Amino acid sequence: MLDPDLFPVFLLGATALALAPGPDMAFTLATAASRGRGAGLAAAAGIITGGAIWTVLAAAGLAALLATAEHALTVVRYAGAGYLLYLAWRTLRHLDTPLDAKGARSSWRAFRRGLVTNLLNPKIGLFFLAFLPQFTNAELSPVWLQMLALGGIFFSIGTAVLIIVALAAGQAQTWLAGSRTARRALNGLSATAFGGLGLRLILVDDTA
């Protein structure tokens, strides 16, 4: 059972966070704009799956354990940054790749990228470890169960936002698919987004 007094505040905060431009939205936007609506939706699904896993880890206290292991946290963070920079480099090498790449293979690749990128960002788990407990009440039910419920609600809101972003960007991709200039520009946008997210993981302070 969730605290009825805290729940409205949680909904307001969760909605504001979901609507705020951030790494998840940038990743989904770049993927949908460069690879189409299906790939964008798959990327969003991967991001949400990764976030759900981090929520479970936070509820179980494993994220807190990771936070105490400074070297492990750094290794995971740099692995995530390296993966994103690799995606940026690979995208730059294929600026002329057709924008209408579709099908199960393309969608699976987008899902995998979203999932791996999210899982290799330990700050997500630490964020939920700090954010979710503020809206729990140990007198009502087990805190870990409330964290799981709150995490599920948070990602339901986030899913809706990312779906809208993917559909909108995918529609733009459909309009621009026939233009070589647009193809290079959108692939460049995707590479910039990947590279920017990777550099953000490297440059942001661990204690932030």
Side-chain angles (χ1 to χ4, degrees), residues 28-196:
T28 302
L29 176 64
T31 302
S34 61
R35 290 293 174 267
R37 181 170 46 192
L41 291 173
I47 289 170
I48 294 300
T49 301
I53 293 173
W54 273 120
T55 300
V56 172
L57 293 178
L62 295 180
L65 182 62
L66 178 62
T68 63
E70 180 180 352
H71 296 299
L73 188 66
T74 300
V75 168
V76 173
R77 184 166 60 89
Y78 275 90
Y83 180 68
L84 284 164
L85 292 175
Y86 164 73
L87 292 182
W89 171 77
R90 182 169 179 174
T91 304
L92 285 174
R93 288 185 60 212
H94 300 88
L95 285 181
D96 286 319
T97 299
L99 294 176
D100 57 353
K102 298 177 181 176
R105 183 179 179 184
S106 178
S107 294
W108 166 243
R109 185 183 297 114
F111 174 86
R112 187 179 65 228
R113 287 179 174 179
L115 175 63
V116 172
T117 299
N118 206 286
L119 289 179
L120 290 179
N121 185 359
K123 286 187 174 291
I124 295 174
L126 300 182
F127 164 76
F128 284 112
L129 194 65
F131 179 68
L132 297 180
Q134 300 179 54
F135 306 99
T136 62
N137 187 337
E139 297 180 358
L140 297 178
S141 60
V143 171
W144 67 268
L145 188 59
Q146 294 180 61
M147 288 181 64
L148 288 179
L150 292 171
I153 294 170
F154 182 91
F155 280 108
S156 295
I157 298 171
T159 298
V161 172
L162 291 182
I163 286 175
I164 293 173
V165 170
L167 292 177
Q171 185 62 42
Q173 183 268 352
T174 300
W175 292 338
L176 299 173
S179 168
R180 182 174 184 272
T181 300
R183 178 166 66 243
R184 293 177 64 86
L186 290 176
N187 280 334
L189 168 66
S190 182
T192 300
F194 293 149

